Amino acid sequence: LAGRFPFANKPTGIVPGEIDHVVAELLEDRVQPPGPARRWNPAVSHAVDAILRRCLEPDPARRYQSARQLREDLQCQLESLPLRHAREPLGERIRKQLRRSPRLLPRLAAGFAVLMLLLAVGFGLRARYLSRVREAQETLRETEKEILEIRFALRPELDPVERARAEERCRSILNRYGVFEKDWREHALFADLDGSDQNRLAEGFGELLYLLARSAVQSTRILSLGSEERRKLFQQALSDNQRAETCFDEDSVPPALLFQRADLLEKLGDGEAAQRQRAEAAKRPLQTARARYLAALEHTLARRFRQALPLLEEAVDLEPRYFWAWMMMGICHDGLGNIIQAVTDYNAAAALAPEFHGVYFNRGLAYLRQRKHVAAALDFDRAIAFGGGTLDAYINRSLAREHLGRYAEALADLDCALKMDASATQLYFQRYRVRLKAKDPRAADDLAEGMRRTPGDVRSWNALGNAYLARADTAPLFGLFEALLALSAFEQGLKQDPDHPATLISKASVLSERFGRNRDALAVQDRLVQLYPEYPIGLSGRGVLHARLGNRAAALEDAESALELTHDRFVVYQAGNIYALTSRQEPTDARRAFVLLHEALGRGFGASLLPTDPDLEPLHHLPEFQRLRALAARKANPPRPPTSPGGNRP
């Protein structure tokens, strides 16, 4: 079969002395099995080669044990049957089977084709499923980014036009997932997500609907609606609230949702149903991080920051990666004047959502309050780069750049802002100030343009009022007239937004400082504190008015309440004013006044105000006040550092 011997043969004519050596070599060869015959003759089949190799096994125990066994294997080979005593490859067995059954091959081919078809269909279905899953995951990522932006845009202080756009985008997202339909959870984009993603997204939808209902009810446009239009608005908000409940598991519906429903039912005249909803809400525990967050949100929007913070701390304990809980903690600490802690909270939020513009915007505002203008400008850069190029972002970046002396860049930001909203007349007053510092001759044009235009929003009315007051200071003969114009501007702004804190403060200030109408100013300040009970500047400002009116107990209560909330240097200075005024009734209050004023001066506030501040007049006769005036003078005019020989400061 192979045309050669299985083992090498030694030559004849061996010398007798070499026989032992030759025999040893032959034995060594025969310990190893011979090579396959197919190496030299490919026509030898694998089965025949297996028979040969078994015959030539070096170990007798592994050879055919009888001629019968050899005959049986040879017969099997001739009849295309599997060998019984030698091991042949599987492929050889299959070929024998095909030779025995010629019709088997077409059947196998057909079966193989069917199998391939089934596999192709299976792979196609799986590919389609995986494609749907990928689409659902990609849509989820985009949706969660949009939800971040929308939730940030639905904040109450936002311009009504911008908030209306956010509401429209919100409904667009909810329609994308069919949330307003009955079986919305079967929508492909939702059903193809895994369980944890579904729960997170569904609860996010529930929160969006809750915020939609809240935004509609608290919108300032509600004041201009008739009774029937207002009723329709409340009914739409109630529908959104009820739809929100379908987004939560039965056991995890936040109590805040039920309290909101009770308020809406009450506005619609169904007092009994409202009472039942409140009773049910009161019985529900705050089981989830989201439930705690929503309860804290209500406190935060009412500026009850101290009540919100424990709930938010519990929320992040339950879910350390809960972005909005960290964000809201920053807002609460910011509102309480704890700016350092606010920045820490915003840092955590930025780590969780590093490409969300809102967190950089808020942190930039916190840096502005700390007078860290470089850090503030960088954060506003990030906010704009990540898609937060809003009017407020450009206005505040301009403010940071103005403080850094980068006037050209500050003016460029204001130009961008004016292109976005030319009706925001506050921008002309801000640009006037920057151009004045930059010695730009066009500054007067901006002031004139700002005074000429009719403001379109509360902030612009506030800016116009303050411009009138500034003009009153430069033109004493017309001071009273300008002050009246300022008061009118503040009142016009409050018609558009009765709850705007800065304009309420401006109105109270002009009533008291320019017209001596402390009781009228106190009524305005009372409203401010009623709206924002934990707003430190509101409390300290009201305390000053109480002190001017001789209400010592009320004044000191406001002073200490404000100091309990924050030790912001302005609040500390106002508290010093309060104690200075009440020292007329209780002379020992002067000691507390000096401590607070000294603290404010040490923290960089009041040096220019203290010498002429009329509220400090009760302290003028005391020697401690002369020392305080000397300290203020040093703070207002610090000594110049020594210069190097080259004339440059070290």
Side-chain angles (χ1 to χ4, degrees), residues 474-500:
T474 58
L477 291 176
F478 299 97
L480 183 60
F481 177 67
E482 299 288 355
L484 284 170
L485 291 175
L487 180 59
S488 175
F490 298 142
E491 288 173 343
Q492 288 294 327
L494 291 171
K495 285 180 182 178
Q496 291 192 352
D497 185 355
D499 302 342
H500 192 251

Side-chain angles (χ1 to χ4, degrees), residues 603-617:
R603 299 176 65 180
F605 186 85
S608 60
L609 298 176
L610 185 140
T612 58
D613 192 334
D615 288 335
L616 301 181
E617 189 273 333

Side-chain angles (χ1 to χ4, degrees), residues 355-373:
E355 295 185 3
F356 175 50
H357 59 83
V359 68
Y360 298 111
F361 177 79
N362 274 28
R363 193 171 67 181
L365 292 178
Y367 282 136
L368 268 184
R369 294 186 186 98
Q370 287 183 296
R371 283 118 180 129
K372 294 183 177 180
H373 300 114

Side-chain angles (χ1 to χ4, degrees), residues 106-330:
R107 293 176 184 171
L108 285 175
F112 183 74
V114 171
L115 177 62
M116 290 298 102
L117 179 61
L118 291 174
L119 286 173
V121 171
F123 281 121
L125 291 174
R126 179 167 176 76
R128 183 181 176 187
Y129 168 73
L130 291 175
S131 175
R132 285 173 50 185
V133 170
R134 279 196 300 273
E135 182 185 359
Q137 289 288 345
E138 289 171 3
T139 306
L140 173 66
R141 285 193 290 272
E142 292 301 317
T143 299
E144 288 185 325
K145 288 180 182 177
E146 288 183 79
I147 288 175
L148 277 179
E149 295 175 2
I150 289 168
R151 286 173 64 174
F152 189 68
L154 286 175
R155 61 194 191 276
E157 69 271 17
L158 195 70
D159 176 77
V161 175
E162 290 297 322
R163 193 163 61 243
R165 289 176 188 162
E167 290 175 10
E168 186 178 345
R169 286 183 64 195
C170 182
R171 293 194 183 277
S172 174
I173 285 179
L174 295 171
N175 282 321
R176 181 187 306 163
Y177 284 84
V179 175
F180 295 107
E181 300 168 9
K182 183 178 179 181
D183 300 322
W184 69 271
R185 288 177 181 269
E186 296 176 10
H187 193 285
L189 287 176
F190 185 84
D192 289 335
L193 297 171
D194 62 37
S196 61
D197 286 340
Q198 285 182 349
N199 290 337
R200 188 176 70 253
L201 185 59
E203 291 187 357
F205 289 155
E207 192 172 325
L208 281 183
L209 287 161
Y210 171 85
L211 293 173
L212 269 179
R214 199 182 197 293
S215 179
V217 172
Q218 294 202 333
S219 172
T220 54
R221 66 190 173 94
I222 205 170
L223 300 172
S224 61
L225 298 179
S227 58
E228 187 57 33
E229 291 176 314
R230 194 175 302 184
R231 182 175 181 81
K232 287 181 181 179
L233 190 65
F234 291 149
Q235 287 174 335
Q236 177 62 58
L238 181 61
S239 176
D240 289 336
N241 174 281
Q242 291 168 336
R243 176 60 56 179
E245 188 171 357
T246 68
C247 299
F248 296 94
D249 295 333
E250 186 177 352
D251 296 335
S252 63
V253 176
L257 200 64
L258 303 182
F259 281 121
Q260 183 187 69
R261 187 175 304 164
D263 291 341
L264 291 169
L265 288 168
E266 198 166 57
K267 291 178 188 300
L268 288 167
D270 195 344
E272 290 184 8
Q275 191 173 357
R276 287 196 301 272
Q277 287 293 325
R278 284 199 182 92
E280 184 181 348
K283 289 188 295 185
R284 283 182 177 263
L286 297 172
Q287 293 184 331
T288 65
R290 195 178 295 271
R292 288 171 169 82
Y293 165 76
L294 289 178
L297 175 64
E298 291 300 318
H299 290 306
T300 303
L301 293 175
R303 302 189 73 88
R304 297 189 296 266
F305 300 126
R306 284 186 297 180
Q307 291 172 261
L309 280 170
L311 292 167
L312 294 168
E313 288 165 358
E314 291 173 11
V316 296
D317 282 341
L318 287 173
E319 288 187 31
R321 298 184 62 81
Y322 194 173
F323 168 82
W324 279 107
W326 285 108
M327 188 79 165
M328 194 62 71
M329 276 204 291

